[in-house]
Amino acid sequence: MPEAREAQQPQVARDGAAVRQFVEHFASLLADSGMPPMPARIFVALLTADTSRLTAEELAGLLRVSPAAVSGGVRYLIQVGLVSRETEPGSRRHVYRMPENVWHEVLRVRDRIMMRWADTMRGGAEVLGPGTPAGARLAESALYFEFVSKELPALLGRWEDYKTAHQD
């Protein structure tokens, strides 16, 4: 279905410099939030591509970086589940694709990280002693992340309802 949707959309002339500026700005916000800079730039480049898929050559040209920089960046994004690698039929060229529900994937990745934090904090609370202020703080932090993780599926379900209600 996404291909049919993309085929129906008219081509829009864009200001390449403005697009690059947006990519760099949003990528810097992602980097400030903890994503490595090159993967952040690649992620935003894919986010801004109408097809949500680009080759390594296209990414290198758009971002004005070497193929090696693209290779390292996409490797990171593939490992965390934010990008997939496909091979074009009849070609050896790889195409990198962003998932349809990319923000679900972003939250899913963050959720896994938060649950690792919660597990570690629970262990730290035991080490420090649950009756100590530091131990209690770590135990409450772990409880917070467990709560957020348990609420996430319901939140994502409400998002789907909200999105459906606001589609044109």
Side-chain angles (χ1 to χ4, degrees):
M1 280 300 219
E3 286 78 14
R5 228 183 13 234
E6 290 164 2
Q8 295 172 359
Q9 295 175 349
Q11 291 293 329
V12 177
R14 294 193 175 112
D15 177 349
V19 171
R20 278 191 297 280
Q21 184 178 15
F22 172 78
V23 168
E24 295 303 327
H25 176 69
F26 191 29
S28 72
L29 292 176
L30 293 173
D32 289 347
S33 300
M35 184 181 280
M38 184 53 63
R41 293 177 72 205
I42 293 167
F43 179 81
V44 178
L46 287 166
L47 187 64
T48 61
D50 285 335
T51 61
S52 73
R53 50 192 315 257
L54 295 168
T55 65
E57 182 180 344
E58 290 168 330
L59 285 164
L62 178 66
L63 300 173
R64 299 178 178 171
V65 296
S66 71
V70 170
S71 177
V74 295
R75 189 176 320 115
Y76 171 86
L77 292 168
I78 290 168
Q79 287 174 348
V80 298
L82 295 179
V83 168
S84 63
R85 179 178 51 216
E86 301 171 356
T87 304
E88 290 184 329
S91 171
R92 294 173 54 199
R93 235 171 40 165
H94 290 155
V95 177
Y96 300 99
R97 180 190 260 311
M98 179 169 286
E100 279 292 312
N101 295 318
V102 68
W103 298 113
H104 280 199
E105 290 302 310
V106 168
L107 288 177
R108 185 184 59 76
V109 167
R110 285 290 177 183
D111 183 47
R112 282 196 333 246
I113 291 168
M114 287 189 299
M115 289 313 297
R116 288 191 351 233
W117 292 350
D119 289 342
T120 301
M121 285 187 240
R122 263 192 306 281
E126 287 298 318
V127 168
L128 295 169
T132 67
R137 187 170 41 253
L138 287 175
E140 183 176 318
S141 296
L143 193 61
Y144 172 81
F145 290 120
E146 289 170 4
F147 171 80
V148 170
S149 183
K150 285 185 174 131
E151 289 296 312
L152 190 57
L155 175 67
L156 293 175
R158 287 193 311 273
W159 157 247
E160 290 299 330
D161 295 342
Y162 183 85
K163 180 175 71 170
T164 299
H166 288 81
Q167 287 178 337
D168 295 347

